[in-house]
Amino acid sequence: MKIIGLTGGIASGKSTVAAVLRSLGAKIFDADAASRQAVARGSQGLQQVIAVFGADYLTADGELDRPKIAKLVFEKQEALRQLEEIIHAYVRREAKKFLEQCRQQNMSAAVLDVPLLIECSWYKEVDLVWLVAVDEKTQIERAMVRSGMSEQEVRARIAAQMTLDAKRQYADLVIDNSGSREETELIVKNEWEKVLQMED
């Protein structure tokens, strides 16, 4: 079974590519969704977060106060490391389970949709790295439309991430998502078919 690691940057269009792959029948592991489950209300992960950071980071109804913890980890590198340790352990376990299920179903390929695939060294554990990329101007415009952030805020977010250019050197395939959705769909369809036809 071929394992594809799908990654990108803020507003590069990774979700669009994941949606196209799903429509083609691909099984996709969503690391973002797993990260949210890791610290869902009542979870072991949330208990660990509270043990490390304190009950101040809970909302009145027992959920993780995401804006508050986001502010903390944005300002303090050590807090980010501690939070990531808790979440990544859970996400990795879930990814392993997902791949096991795909193997049992005799899938030819499976996709790990992981925003921090390269930063967290997951790229070493996949057969192919697919990077969804756009030029910076398009990235900024799309992020502003999608999130309502100002250009300055978007630029700060981009600056805090590993750049798309730096990620390119890890990629087996760069999917240029600067054009229309139809163009992207065609690229993804062709590349997915190639993967399904690969021999071990």
Side-chain angles (χ1 to χ4, degrees):
M1 186 178 78
K2 292 283 175 222
I3 303 169
I4 297 169
L6 177 66
T7 194
I10 180 174
S12 63
K14 188 172 59 61
S15 326
T16 302
V17 171
V20 175
L21 284 167
R22 271 198 191 89
S23 75
L24 297 170
K27 295 273 189 209
I28 300 182
F29 175 78
D30 183 341
D32 266 348
S35 299
R36 288 192 293 274
Q37 286 163 6
V39 288
R41 186 167 63 181
S43 68
Q44 211 178 342
L46 185 58
Q47 286 170 6
Q48 287 175 279
V49 170
I50 297 316
V52 173
F53 299 105
D56 288 352
Y57 288 92
L58 280 180
T59 63
D61 56 358
E63 300 273 357
L64 180 65
D65 189 334
R66 289 179 185 279
K68 194 171 180 182
I69 199 114
K71 188 175 185 300
L72 175 75
V73 299
F74 198 70
E75 290 165 3
K76 294 191 176 161
Q77 201 64 40
E78 176 60 15
L80 177 65
R81 191 192 60 73
Q82 290 171 304
L83 182 66
E84 283 182 341
E85 254 176 36
I86 295 166
I87 292 174
H88 290 176
Y90 175 88
V91 175
R92 276 183 182 274
R93 281 197 303 274
E94 291 301 305
K96 278 204 173 110
K97 278 190 223 166
F98 164 81
L99 291 173
E100 203 41 59
Q101 285 165 357
C102 290
R103 285 192 185 97
Q104 285 167 3
Q105 292 166 13
N106 291 321
M107 305 298 293
S108 308
V111 181
L112 298 179
D113 176 351
V114 186
L116 300 177
L117 185 87
I118 293 158
E119 294 89 327
C120 296
S121 297
W122 276 41
Y123 68 91
K124 295 173 183 170
E125 297 169 38
V126 300
D127 299 304
L128 298 162
V129 173
W130 283 16
L131 173 67
V132 188
V134 290
D135 58 273
E136 194 177 87
K137 183 173 174 287
T138 306
Q139 190 181 17
I140 290 166
E141 283 169 4
R142 286 182 184 172
M144 283 167 69
V145 169
R146 196 182 69 183
S147 65
M149 289 190 284
S150 68
E151 184 176 338
Q152 206 176 350
E153 287 171 317
V154 171
R155 284 187 182 278
R157 280 287 173 90
I158 291 171
Q161 291 186 344
M162 186 179 185
T163 65
L164 287 171
D165 273 347
K167 288 182 177 188
R168 279 174 192 270
Q169 56 200 355
Y170 295 89
D172 298 287
L173 171 70
V174 177
I175 299 169
D176 180 5
N177 188 38
S178 302
S180 68
R181 187 180 168 109
E182 289 70 28
E183 287 167 327
T184 300
E185 280 177 7
L186 194 61
I187 297 167
V188 174
K189 193 166 184 284
N190 290 339
E191 294 297 336
W192 176 244
E193 279 168 9
K194 280 185 207 168
V195 172
L196 295 183
Q197 286 159 12
M198 278 181 180
E199 296 295 324
D200 286 334

